[in-house]
Every structure is written in C-alpha cells, then in structure tokens.
C-alpha cells in the first residue's frame, strides 16, 4: 500500500504528522486523506491519545499478561456493538481475519469460506485468491508462495450479487462454514452495499447454518460508533475489527456471541494466541480514541465535512466535463474518486477504471499539496481534524487535477 508502483515516481518519506497534515523529510506539507489507511479518524497525533500512549509506555510496553486497560477496551467495544459479547484482541487485521475464519471452521465443523471478489481480508494464504469468470468461482492463489491447497476451500462471489451467493449455497451450503464480507467494500475503492444485500446474506447464512462474518477493520467506529452493522441494521455472528480501535497503534480484534467465542482456547478447542495481543500501550490509545468518538455531535460533524468534500469532488468532475466518466462514491467519511463511468457497484465496475488517468490525477494533487492513496482502489478518509479550508482547498485542487487527467479519458 505504501508503494508508488501503481502511479509511478518515488513516495515522499514522511517525517511527522499533526492534525490533517503530514510533512515529509524535505519539509513539504500535505493535506492527508490516507490517514494511515483509516485509523486516524481524530487526525494525526491527537493530544488525548498521545498523552495516553506516553503514560502507558512509562509503565512498560508489553507484559504478556492481562491488564485492566484490555478489559476496559473490551467493555467499550462490546457496549458499542451488541453483536459482540466477547472479544479477543490480536495485533493486526490480518491476524483477526485469519483467526475468525479458523473459529468459524472449528465451530461449524465445515471447511469452505465464501468471500467477495475484490474483498480484502488481510494477507493470510486462504484469503489471497483471485477471481475467475462467471458468477461463482473456486479460488486459486493470486500470489506466489501460496500452495493451491491453501485456497482450495475459498469460494468467490461478486460483491452486491445476492443471487450468486444463493447459487453458491444451493450447490455447497452444507460445506460452507462462513461468509466473510466487508459490509461496505473499501478495498476495491469505496462501494456501498446494495439495498437488501447485507440482510440477504444474513438470511442465506441462517438458512444453511453458516456464520456471517463482517470485516469491519475499516468501517468499525468510522461509519458510526456502532460500525456498519449498526448503520445498516444487520447483525453478524462474528465481527473483525482493527485500525480505529487501536488509536493508530497496531491492533486487530474479533468478537461475537459468547457461545461462539467460548470455542477459543483456552476455554475451547480452537487455538489462538499472540504474545503482544492486548498490550497496554495499544489498549490505552484505543480507549482514548473511543472516548473522543463519544463526544456529542462527533459523527454528525464528520458527516457534514465528508459530504462537503464529496460535493466538491462532484462539482470538480462536472467542471472538467468528466461527470459521465468519473464516479464519486461516498459512505460517511470514506470516499473514492473512480475514473470509471458511474455507477460503480462492484469489483467489475471498479476495475474498468482508467488507472493511468488516476495516476495523472494523483500526481497533480500531490503537487498541489494533497496526499491521496497511490492506488485507484483505496479509499480517501476524512478526519475530525480536516477543516473547512482543507475541504475547499482539496476541491479546488481536484478541479485542476481532473482537467489534467481529462485528456486520458477521451
């Protein structure tokens, strides 16, 4: 994700960050919409979080033992997400997804897992699979070093295609342990769920005795305090979390109903462990962040700022005569500017995007002091630290950058 291979050139080396800005080693400052790929919902280095980290670190970075702060963060998360009665902290989103899949397989006694084409759930072997043709495809490895057998029990379906999911279950339902899905796709660019899609997944899993796993590593505590599951009113069996709940420190977590989570060792037979899981520095950062998110009007203010940016980007596309060739997708404080005809509703629609035009746009924005992800298929993240001036400056820069990219869109 840090590579500029998709857009060309050398990435700036970041020296420091504060609020909505990052500064490189050459003292160039940029308005940042990467936000560490999502965790920096408060902006960079917010004082309450920095204070909590410093205080915790003075008492030791890791004990390999339970702490009071781990219990407090667990209580905060379970209070926010009613689908989670018990939670297990780990050190990354990849580890959380891998562990959640293992738990689902252990609890159901089944092997197969369904994921969506273009959905990213970390870099565990079984999740790094590519899409084939047709509505449903058995996974094949998409990265060297992954044995064919590691992906053999992963089934792919298109995101937002409930009929394809129903077809998969009609053929293999008795062998499927779980459906693993981002409730709002954010790794093919931002793509919202179609009306009824998430509820349909819940119904099909219930009908066949499979678990529904929501990967809310990105959406958790970003779209609302209760995550995407609260926003859309669909309750998963297991939720995967990360990013924001660590306040910028490395973290992952997975949780669900007590009966499901009790299958984990040492209480149950499904093994999972991690030396640095629940370390006190990360727990302190996460607690301070979640406390800040509970401030009155926090999400309403973030929505207003994000909506203003979305409208500004749409106006910039119209100004560049690209309204029919550029698609702005937004869900809350997550946005994507696809260089593809609207609407973009799935991976197939996202991948027709003109990546050369995006590269031109990206570099024009970087030159204007706006830092975006160096990939067409990553999200923009708005934080509480972004000001009205930041939004105005970004929209203005976008109009000029889109005009520069327009010649590649003819």
């Amino acid at each position: 994700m840090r590579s500029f291979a998709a857009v060309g050139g050398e990435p700036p080396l970041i020296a420091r960050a504060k609020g909505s800005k990052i500064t490189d080693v050459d003292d160039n400052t940029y308005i940042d919409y990467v936000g560490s790929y999502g965790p920096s919902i408060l902006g960079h280095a917010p004082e309450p979080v920095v204070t909590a980290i410093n205080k915790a670190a003075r008492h030791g970075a890791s004990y390999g033992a339970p702490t009071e702060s781990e219990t407090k963060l667990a209580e905060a998360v379970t209070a926010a997400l009613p689908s989670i009665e018990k939670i297990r902290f780990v050190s990354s989103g990849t580890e959380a997804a891998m562990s959640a899949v293992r738990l689902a397989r252990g609890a159901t006694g089944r092997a197969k897992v369904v994921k969506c084409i273009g959905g990213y759930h970390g870099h565990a072997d079984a999740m790094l699979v590519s899409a084939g043709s047709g509505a449903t495809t058995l996974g094949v490895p998409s990265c060297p070093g992954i044995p064919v057998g590691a992906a053999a029990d992963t089934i792919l379906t298109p995101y937002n295609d409930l009929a394809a999911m129903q077809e998969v279950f009609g053929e293999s339902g008795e062998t499927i342990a779980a459906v693993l899905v981002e409730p709002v796709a954010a790794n093919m660019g931002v793509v919202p769920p179609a009306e009824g899609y998430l509820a349909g997944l819940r119904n099909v899993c219930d009908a066949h005795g499979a678990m529904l796993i929501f990967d809310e590593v990105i959406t958790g505590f970003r779209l609302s305090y209760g995550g995407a599951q609260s926003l859309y009113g669909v309750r998963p069996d297991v939720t995967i979390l990360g990013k924001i709940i660590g306040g910028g420190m490395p973290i992952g977590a997975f949780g669900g109903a007590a009966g499901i989570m009790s299958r984990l060792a040492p209480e149950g037979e499904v093994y999972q462990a991690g030396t640095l899981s629940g370390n006190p520095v990360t727990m302190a950062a996460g607690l301070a962040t979640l406390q800040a998110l509970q401030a009155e009007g926090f999400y309403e203010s973030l929505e207003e700022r994000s909506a203003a940016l979305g409208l500004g980007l749409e106006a910039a596309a119209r100004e560049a005569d690209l309204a029919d060739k550029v698609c702005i997708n937004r869900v809350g404080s997550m946005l994507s500017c696809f260089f593809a005809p609207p609407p973009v509703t799935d991976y197939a629609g996202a991948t027709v995007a003109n990546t050369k035009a995006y590269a031109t746009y990206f570099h024009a924005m970087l030159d204007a002091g706006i830092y975006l992800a160096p990939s067409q298929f990553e999200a923009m993240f708005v934080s509480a630290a972004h000001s009205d001036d930041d939004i105005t400056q970004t929209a203005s820069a976008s109009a000029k950058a889109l005009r520069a990219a327009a010649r590649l869109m003819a």
Side-chain angles (χ1 to χ4, degrees):
M1 291 193 297
R2 299 173 186 174
S3 170
F4 269 38
V7 293
E10 293 294 326
L13 299 179
I14 307 306
R16 60 190 181 275
K18 183 66 178 177
S20 65
K21 311 292 198 305
I22 56 173
T23 302
D24 67 20
V25 294
D26 297 317
D27 269 345
N28 299 306
T29 297
Y30 310 89
I31 301 172
D32 179 30
Y33 291 99
V34 176
S36 191
Y37 290 90
S40 302
I41 193 169
L42 302 178
H44 293 287
E47 289 303 325
V49 177
V50 172
T51 298
I53 289 171
N54 288 339
K55 182 178 179 180
R58 283 196 292 269
H59 296 288
S62 180
Y63 314 135
T67 66
E68 184 179 17
S69 59
E70 185 178 10
T71 299
K72 287 182 176 179
L73 184 57
E75 289 173 345
V77 173
T78 55
L81 282 77
S83 69
I84 300 180
E85 295 176 341
K86 295 176 73 173
I87 190 168
R88 180 71 62 94
F89 292 110
V90 294
S91 296
S92 71
T94 291
E95 188 181 349
M98 176 187 72
S99 301
V101 167
R102 181 184 299 162
L103 174 60
R105 286 171 166 160
T108 62
R110 301 172 179 180
K112 295 189 182 297
V113 173
V114 185
K115 70 176 287 285
C116 290
I117 297 166
Y120 180 73
H121 307 287
H123 56 87
D125 284 359
M127 293 298 105
L128 281 182
V129 296
S130 62
S133 59
T136 60
T137 308
L138 285 177
V140 295
S142 59
C143 173
I146 299 176
V148 172
D153 287 322
T154 303
I155 302 174
L156 300 172
T157 67
Y159 183 73
N160 271 339
D161 190 336
L162 186 58
M165 186 68 72
Q166 291 167 336
E167 182 181 345
V168 162
F169 272 90
E171 294 174 352
S172 308
E174 72 282 357
T175 67
I176 295 173
V179 171
L180 175 57
V181 65
E182 296 174 277
V184 175
N187 287 285
M188 60 182 78
V190 175
V191 179
E195 182 71 27
Y197 177 66
L198 298 178
L201 296 183
R202 177 71 277 170
N203 290 339
V204 76
C205 286
D206 288 344
H208 293 272
M211 289 189 184
L212 179 59
I213 304 175
F214 275 3
D215 184 340
E216 294 224 46
V217 168
I218 290 178
T219 58
F221 292 91
R222 175 162 284 280
L223 300 184
S224 75
Y225 195 72
Q229 58 196 262
S230 174
L231 186 66
Y232 292 102
V234 177
R235 187 166 178 161
D237 297 295
V238 176
T239 300
I240 303 166
L241 295 167
K243 295 189 184 288
I244 287 173
I245 65 164
M249 300 292 288
I251 195 170
F254 62 106
I260 294 172
M261 296 299 290
S262 67
R263 304 296 295 271
L264 287 170
E267 187 176 2
E269 68 280 12
V270 179
Y271 187 75
Q272 187 280 323
T275 300
L276 299 179
S277 299
N279 74 83
V281 179
T282 296
M283 299 297 100
L287 269 172
T289 299
L290 265 56
Q291 288 166 0
L293 298 183
Q294 295 179 66
E296 184 176 355
F298 178 89
Y299 286 97
E300 291 80 3
S301 176
L302 187 62
E303 170 63 21
E304 289 178 8
R305 198 167 290 115
S306 304
L309 178 59
L311 291 172
L313 295 178
E314 289 173 356
R318 290 193 299 271
E319 184 178 332
D321 292 325
L322 291 176
D324 61 340
K325 297 180 180 179
V326 168
C327 177
I328 310 299
N329 275 5
R330 182 180 74 87
V331 181
S333 57
M334 300 160 45
L335 303 93
S336 283
C337 178
F338 289 103
F339 284 76
V344 174
T345 60
D346 57 16
Y347 185 65
T351 53
V352 301
N354 188 325
T355 54
K356 291 183 179 179
Y358 180 82
T360 296
Y361 174 76
F362 170 86
H363 281 291
M365 292 292 277
L366 191 66
D367 291 343
I370 313 296
Y371 192 77
L372 307 176
S375 168
Q376 168 69 97
F377 307 111
E378 296 287 351
M380 296 174 66
F381 296 100
V382 181
S383 76
H386 284 97
S387 67
D388 292 341
D389 285 345
D390 289 336
I391 301 301
T392 300
Q393 183 178 336
T394 302
S396 177
S398 187
K400 296 176 182 178
L402 284 169
R403 285 196 294 271
R407 63 182 180 272
L408 296 174
M409 301 289 288

